[in-house]
Amino acid sequence: MKKKILEVLGTALLLQSGIQSAFAQVPLSEATLEGDEVIETVYGNIELEHHFIAKGEQELFDIMDFQRASQAYIWSTPIVSMKTWGQQEDQAYDVAGLENFVVLKSLKEKRGIVTGNLTTPYIFTFSNLKEGAVKLEYPKGMTAGAFLDLWQRPVADLGLTGPDKGKGGTYIICGPNDDPKLYEGKADFVVQSETNNFFIGLRILEADPQAEASFKKALKLGRVGSELRKATFAEDKNIEWSATAPRGLAYWETLHTIINEEPVREQDKAWIAMLKPLGVEIGKPFQPTEKQKDLLVKGGNMGELMLRNLQTNPRFTVPYWEGTNWYKSFDFNIPQSNEMMVYLDERAVWYYEAVSSTKGMVEPSPGYGQVYMTSKRDENGDLLRADKTYKLHVPAHVPVDQFWSVTLYSENTRRPYDNGGENISDIGINSRRTDVTYNQDGSIDLYIGAECPKDVNPANYLKTVGNDGWFIYFRLYAPREEFFNKSFQLSDWEVVNTGLSK
């Protein structure tokens, strides 16, 4: 009897061993994807029986949709950021409509713009080409501006970097379904946008206030075939607002609005297909299920984390000056693509951190355009912190034909930093300021951090607060050859002693 029991137990153990062998758990990297197999993944186990998916069907769909949402966030960042900017600006300043521009001058006004420039006034308008082509009578003067499409690509520069070369002229911009040939001879310059949504933005580069007044008085625009009207300007409003793209479902709702307003480009069709199972679909209302909402929110958050990582550690490029942590912005071209690829990560990093582009920004050359330098690590390679204080040594004779500037931004919002200050000088220093202190050799030391070191001129210092991580743009306007041949170079941030309050 005892022998019989042992035989039964032995047979049972052999059978159990065979079952365990047939359904042995293997990591994904070692999976054969054949027969009977339990595959371990970071999302849970997937079971195969006779090659079929026996368990994990819904998990695989969820993985697919989560991954697609994460990558769709990266793909769509330029257009969602641009659309958000236009929507929020129109709402805050009541400037919806073709001829209505907003003029942003104060710190509070400019703090709404993602990495806004504090040195010169901004003049902006957002509009749509669905109702027909637009004609612009652009005045002469020292200005830098552009038409941009919704992908934030320059359709045409305006002013000094545009075809009018600062001499002024007439422009016609037509939409993606229009024919530019219809407008030949009706303006000095005819251009076409690939999107219906478009933007006109410009900066007055002359310091003389009269130059701005004259320019605004002469600026006219309207639909082609209609009488051009003088532009109107909403200014001196001093309104707090935000153009930072929303998080959560609001991000995807904005994207849904966009894909239903714009024609689909060939290069974007695969992305449109990926969005459909997530409830972001052309021709249908945005009414995601609870499951879709969860995946969209999680996917959007992961996409932003991925972009933040790329922004801090841009693996597609190297520091501009060897041995430093300084990067030159714009690692892509004006079309944002070449014959082989779309600059997917490169453009997403810029448009997550900033807004807009012009030919002068993307393709600067000696004496032409603008350069944007940024760094997020100190001399030790450590990330910059809001609770420490740092020094940046700027050598004498910064190679610019116009001016240079340093502006402080929040890593969270990517907008001008809010440290409680009310003046532009509280978060920006530039070569036009006369209150800063230079060293005897013409160089200048700038300080950013939690406390102003003792014996430092407060005009040379920008304050950080709490745990609001920060970065700067060091801008060079009309950079000279010394920048391009790298004989001019910025050193890394130097950590200075803290606790030395002014």
Side-chain angles (χ1 to χ4, degrees):
M1 184 70 177
K2 185 176 181 181
K3 184 178 179 181
K4 188 70 174 177
I5 292 172
L6 291 173
E7 287 177 353
V8 171
L9 288 173
T11 301
L13 288 171
L14 285 171
L15 287 171
Q16 185 178 1
S17 175
I19 293 172
Q20 287 176 339
S21 177
F23 290 90
Q25 290 191 18
V26 296
L28 185 60
S29 60
E30 298 175 13
T32 66
L33 306 183
E34 296 177 356
D36 300 330
E37 198 167 41
V38 177
I39 304 167
E40 300 172 354
T41 78
V42 295
Y43 303 99
N45 290 344
I46 305 297
E47 296 185 12
L48 299 184
E49 290 184 12
H50 294 219
H51 315 316
F52 290 104
I53 306 293
K55 184 178 180 182
E57 304 97 318
Q58 188 57 50
E59 286 82 354
L60 285 170
F61 282 129
D62 291 348
I63 293 166
M64 179 185 295
D65 291 339
F66 168 73
Q67 291 179 345
R68 287 179 171 182
S70 300
Q71 297 306 309
Y73 179 94
I74 294 172
W75 161 75
S76 62
T77 284
I79 51 175
V80 173
S81 178
M82 192 66 164
K83 185 68 174 179
T84 301
W85 180 8
Q87 288 175 330
Q88 295 304 310
E89 186 176 281
D90 285 351
Q91 181 177 333
Y93 290 90
D94 192 22
V95 287
L98 180 60
E99 297 90 9
N100 302 326
F101 287 76
V102 63
V103 182
L104 305 178
K105 295 180 181 180
S106 71
L107 174 60
K108 186 179 289 187
E109 291 169 336
K110 288 191 172 186
R111 199 156 54 208
I113 306 170
V114 177
T115 56
N117 166 20
L118 303 181
T119 312
T120 55
Y122 276 128
I123 302 177
F124 296 143
T125 188
F126 289 82
S127 194
N128 201 294
L129 295 165
K130 273 189 175 181
E131 298 176 11
V134 169
K135 187 172 183 178
L136 179 74
E137 193 172 293
Y138 195 79
K140 65 179 180 179
M142 287 185 62
T143 64
F147 293 117
L148 300 185
D149 67 15
L150 200 63
W151 287 100
Q152 305 197 47
R153 299 178 310 167
V155 180
D157 274 30
L158 301 167
L160 294 177
T161 59
D164 65 279
K165 305 297 183 184
K167 298 178 181 178
T170 54
Y171 288 81
I172 288 178
I173 179 171
C174 63
N177 298 320
D178 209 341
D179 183 359
K181 293 181 180 178
L182 297 174
Y183 307 104
E184 290 179 355
K186 297 182 179 180
D188 298 321
F189 312 102
V190 178
V191 294
Q192 184 176 26
S193 170
E194 285 194 10
T195 63
N196 289 308
N197 286 275
F198 82 102
F199 161 88
I200 304 173
L202 57 107
R203 297 190 297 265
I204 309 294
L205 299 179
E206 293 181 75
D208 182 3
Q210 186 56 44
E212 179 187 337
S214 298
F215 180 90
K216 285 156 52 178
K217 186 177 180 180
L219 183 64
K220 295 180 181 180
L221 69 166
R223 299 287 173 187
V224 173
S226 302
E227 183 179 355
L228 301 188
R229 300 181 181 178
K230 287 186 177 182
T232 62
F233 302 93
E235 52 189 322
D236 300 323
K237 302 289 186 180
N238 206 33
I239 294 172
E240 194 82 55
W241 64 293
S242 168
T244 301
R247 295 182 175 124
L249 283 179
Y251 182 95
W252 302 104
E253 188 171 10
T254 303
L255 180 57
H256 177 264
T257 297
I258 293 166
I259 65 174
N260 280 278
E261 289 179 347
E262 299 293 348
V264 179
R265 305 179 303 174
E266 189 67 30
Q267 69 184 45
D268 299 322
K269 288 183 177 180
W271 298 101
I272 299 299
M274 292 183 198
L275 290 168
K276 185 176 177 180
L278 286 157
V280 185
E281 188 173 356
I282 294 175
K284 292 189 177 180
F286 181 67
Q287 296 175 343
T289 64
E290 291 305 310
K291 168 72 77 172
Q292 289 170 328
K293 289 178 183 178
D294 182 62
L295 289 166
L296 286 170
V297 171
K298 288 179 179 177
N301 287 346
M302 180 57 73
E304 183 171 356
L305 288 173
M306 290 174 176
L307 269 188
R308 237 185 244 187
N309 185 42
L310 275 172
Q311 173 211 31
T312 307
N313 309 294
R315 64 181 181 179
F316 47 76
T317 189
V318 296
Y320 185 72
W321 295 300
E322 188 176 353
T324 75
N325 293 293
W326 286 96
Y327 289 89
K328 178 178 175 290
S329 299
F330 290 108
D331 292 283
F332 55 94
N333 57 17
I334 289 174
Q336 302 176 5
S337 64
N338 59 30
E339 64 276 7
M340 294 181 293
M341 60 173 274
V342 172
Y343 289 104
L344 183 66
D345 292 345
E346 294 87 342
R347 73 177 186 189
V349 165
W350 172 253
Y351 295 120
Y352 173 77
E353 182 177 279
V355 289
S356 82
S357 64
T358 65
K359 183 178 180 182
M361 294 162 69
V362 180
E363 299 177 353
S365 58
Y368 169 88
Q370 307 93 43
V371 166
Y372 299 72
M373 302 299 299
T374 190
S375 173
K376 297 178 176 64
R377 296 184 184 274
D378 65 23
E379 59 188 346
N380 302 312
D382 297 327
L383 290 168
L384 300 173
R385 295 178 58 90
D387 57 359
K388 291 186 177 181
T389 299
Y390 304 83
K391 180 177 79 171
L392 175 64
H393 179 74
V394 180
H397 312 300
V398 177
V400 290
D401 283 341
Q402 295 176 8
F403 61 94
W404 59 262
S405 70
V406 167
T407 307
L408 182 64
Y409 300 106
S410 165
E411 174 66 11
N412 178 37
T413 67
R414 289 88 69 201
R415 303 198 314 273
Y417 202 88
D418 188 354
N419 57 13
E422 298 180 354
N423 301 308
I424 284 176
S425 59
D426 291 319
I427 59 167
I429 299 172
N430 63 75
S431 58
R432 289 178 171 176
R433 285 180 56 175
T434 59
D435 58 341
V436 294
T437 299
Y438 286 82
N439 302 319
Q440 287 187 350
D441 63 355
S443 65
I444 184 171
D445 295 322
L446 308 180
Y447 295 84
I448 296 180
E451 297 190 22
C452 181
K454 191 176 181 180
D455 300 326
V456 166
N457 179 357
N460 289 47
Y461 164 74
L462 304 176
K463 183 177 180 59
T464 57
V465 294
N467 64 354
D468 190 4
W470 60 274
F471 66 96
I472 70 156
Y473 278 169
F474 190 101
R475 288 176 168 92
L476 297 91
Y477 287 86
R480 295 176 184 160
E481 177 60 29
E482 294 91 332
F483 171 81
F484 295 96
N485 66 25
K486 301 187 182 182
S487 58
F488 168 81
Q489 177 174 322
L490 292 172
S491 58
D492 277 329
W493 294 97
E494 175 187 343
V495 181
V496 300
N497 290 332
T498 57
L500 301 175
S501 301
K502 186 73 176 175

